[in-house]
Amino acid sequence: MNPKILIIGACGQIGSELTYKLRSLYGDKNVIASDISYTNLDIVNSGIFEIVDAQDYESVKVCVEKYRIDTVYLMAAMLSATGEKYPMQAWDLNMNSLFHVLNLAKAKFIKKVFWPSSIAIFGSTTPKDNTPQYTIVEPSTVYGITKQTGERWCEYYHKKYAVDVRSLRYPGIISWKTLPGGGTTDYAVDIYHKAVTEKKYECFLKEDTELPMMFMDDAIKATVDIMSSDKADIKIRSSYNLSAISFTPKDVAQSIKAFIPDFEITYKPDSRQEIADSWPKSIDDSQARQDWNWKHKFSLEDITKEMLMQLNEKYKES
């Protein structure tokens, strides 16, 4: 029997593409999209959509009961760079929304929860290369602090109340379908837009800033894979390391030049450089590969080819 799914934060970068994927797998009537406003009309008009305030327990509970939801994907969050501008709002949104969903699961209103963590939980004291699953975790941003705290609560609710909560530490994610959303790794999305529209890009990170990255299709695949795995196979209930490839802005620029030879890049590091410097260069996700057979598909060349092709079509149409 298909699950009855609620996606909270369905209008966001990951939430929107996750909505389409889950609807293709389980049917439009079984996947309810929700957000705080009608910010993505494609999502609003593509199936059942509800206004849900992730910070309001009753708002979430009413939607869960209305549609007899058994699985919640909590994708609503304030990201790293935006969170540094509005620290208390970031804390309130990221933490309150998680507690509401965990408490609904504890009270048996729902059976299964997906909550995304991030490489932002790591800090300057974390080993930079091939960062292990279990290591020093001292985040330097409010976003990272909320994700670190959330991981502890997820594991606690699983051990204390048997809540089936599953989580991934997303790296930077690249997609052509949605615009950059305020994250430190969003240069790797914006650079492709500027390559297509202007053939030049001013990067807010240094050219040699290496970070773990992933194409959206791989991120969605990982999310679906972990949620469809047997409960017994999910050994980690805080959050799994997740990885695909690592690269620098210079690497991306060179891959773009293979398709657009006159593309130019300049560098003007801003406050996001300090955030990026506190994050790992590469991630060891062997635990995910071992426990539930995670495998990524897209290389940097694959990503660049797909991004440029899709964005060229997108801008032609507009």
Side-chain angles (χ1 to χ4, degrees):
M1 193 169 76
N2 284 333
K4 291 286 285 186
I5 294 168
L6 172 64
I7 303 170
I8 301 173
C11 290
Q13 183 193 29
I14 304 174
S16 57
E17 299 202 35
L18 182 62
T19 299
Y20 292 127
K21 181 63 176 180
L22 292 175
R23 282 177 172 165
S24 74
L25 290 172
Y26 303 118
D28 290 352
K29 292 182 179 179
N30 291 316
V31 180
I32 315 304
S34 74
D35 215 304
I36 198 167
S37 62
Y38 300 105
T39 53
N40 185 330
L41 290 179
D42 289 337
I43 288 292
V44 171
N45 296 324
S46 69
I48 302 171
F49 182 87
E50 292 279 349
I51 293 291
V52 171
D53 182 353
Q55 295 195 71
D56 182 349
Y57 178 82
E58 285 302 319
S59 177
V60 179
K61 182 170 177 280
V62 164
C63 191
V64 165
E65 291 184 305
K66 179 179 178 180
Y67 294 99
R68 297 180 180 177
I69 298 296
D70 55 52
T71 303
V72 171
Y73 291 74
L74 175 56
M75 310 308 292
M78 189 178 292
L79 302 180
S80 57
T82 310
E84 292 307 284
K85 296 176 185 175
Y86 310 104
M88 290 315 300
Q89 291 96 318
W91 174 264
D92 288 344
L93 170 59
N94 296 359
M95 296 313 305
N96 290 340
S97 59
L98 176 58
F99 275 123
H100 295 334
V101 173
L102 289 177
N103 283 327
L104 283 167
K106 174 188 171 186
K108 309 300 183 188
F109 286 101
I110 51 181
K111 295 178 181 176
K112 194 188 292 187
V113 175
F114 177 81
W115 174 79
S117 189
S118 164
I119 60 168
I121 67 155
F122 302 121
S124 59
T125 54
T126 301
K128 296 286 187 193
D129 296 306
N130 217 25
T131 302
Q133 175 69 45
Y134 300 104
T135 187
I136 300 166
V137 178
E138 294 181 335
S140 59
T141 63
V142 176
Y143 178 66
I145 292 167
T146 64
K147 292 301 183 182
Q148 179 197 18
T149 307
E151 286 192 14
R152 306 309 336 132
W153 279 114
C154 285
E155 186 171 72
Y156 182 86
Y157 268 71
H158 174 71
K159 286 183 175 178
K160 191 83 171 176
Y161 309 117
V163 170
D164 186 358
V165 57
R166 307 178 184 200
S167 179
L168 300 170
R169 292 172 179 162
Y170 286 133
I173 294 176
I174 302 171
S175 169
W176 58 269
K177 291 184 181 177
T178 50
L179 292 171
T184 301
T185 56
D186 276 349
Y187 87 84
V189 178
D190 198 27
I191 191 171
Y192 290 108
H193 284 267
K194 295 296 196 299
V196 169
T197 58
E198 301 175 19
K199 294 188 178 179
K200 62 181 181 180
Y201 178 64
E202 183 177 271
C203 186
F204 55 76
L205 297 180
K206 296 175 184 175
E207 67 173 16
D208 60 350
T209 305
E210 185 179 3
L211 291 169
M213 305 294 288
M214 176 177 286
F215 194 52
M216 179 65 81
D217 292 30
D218 277 335
I220 298 300
K221 178 182 182 296
T223 307
V224 171
D225 285 355
I226 192 173
M227 288 297 279
S228 58
S229 294
D230 289 340
K231 189 187 293 188
D233 292 333
I234 309 303
K235 314 291 187 187
I236 295 171
R237 295 297 181 152
S238 51
S239 193
Y240 276 93
N241 273 4
L242 187 71
S243 183
I245 54 176
S246 291
F247 54 72
T248 67
K250 185 178 180 180
D251 293 333
V252 186
Q254 288 175 340
S255 75
I256 290 171
K257 284 184 179 183
F259 297 90
I260 307 174
D262 53 346
F263 173 72
E264 296 178 3
I265 186 168
T266 55
Y267 301 92
K268 189 178 179 182
D270 65 15
S271 60
R272 287 167 283 193
Q273 182 66 51
E274 188 177 351
I275 296 173
D277 287 342
S278 73
W279 289 352
K281 294 180 179 180
S282 57
I283 300 287
D284 175 5
D285 63 353
S286 54
Q287 195 83 44
R289 294 175 188 269
Q290 175 184 307
D291 289 357
W292 41 276
N293 296 319
W294 157 242
K295 293 186 181 95
H296 74 279
K297 178 181 176 184
F298 287 81
S299 67
L300 176 55
E301 184 182 354
D302 296 331
I303 292 170
T304 296
K305 186 176 180 180
E306 186 74 8
M307 288 291 288
L308 294 178
M309 180 183 71
Q310 295 291 354
L311 289 175
N312 268 310
E313 288 298 315
K314 193 173 185 178
Y315 283 109
K316 276 179 190 174
E317 290 173 4
S318 60

